Amino acid sequence: MKSGTHPDYHFITVQMTDGTTYQTRSTWGSEGDTLQLEIDPTAHPAWTGGNSRLLDTGGQVARFNKRFGGLSLGKK
């Protein structure tokens, strides 16, 4: 490998939103820094399944049919 072209790969501490921490290796920051996450698997709705929004497709279809139900395509 060429020297001086690759970033420093070192240990950092990652702090989750609930306060738990773990150590991993990263190119972020410098040796011993703490990365504090704002969104992680313990809090994000994509992983927790919360905050899901169900679409009211029946209501949308009914509203469309109410507005455009009387139109025909001219095929008789």
Side-chain angles (χ1 to χ4, degrees):
M1 290 192 303
K2 270 187 174 176
S3 62
T5 59
H6 299 282
D8 182 31
Y9 195 57
H10 49 269
F11 280 99
I12 64 166
T13 302
V14 178
Q15 183 176 4
M16 308 286 266
T17 55
D18 64 355
T20 58
T21 61
Y22 66 92
Q23 286 216 332
T24 188
R25 292 186 58 158
S26 175
T27 58
W28 180 86
S30 49
E31 181 79 28
D33 282 352
T34 300
L35 175 64
Q36 295 179 338
L37 299 179
E38 295 176 3
I39 298 174
D40 62 28
T42 62
H44 196 278
W47 288 287
T48 61
N51 207 11
S52 63
R53 189 187 98 161
L54 297 174
L55 293 176
D56 182 19
T57 55
Q60 291 174 355
V61 170
R63 191 170 41 228
F64 177 84
N65 287 334
K66 181 179 176 186
R67 289 178 67 191
F68 303 107
L71 298 177
S72 65
L73 296 175
K75 293 181 181 180
K76 292 186 180 185

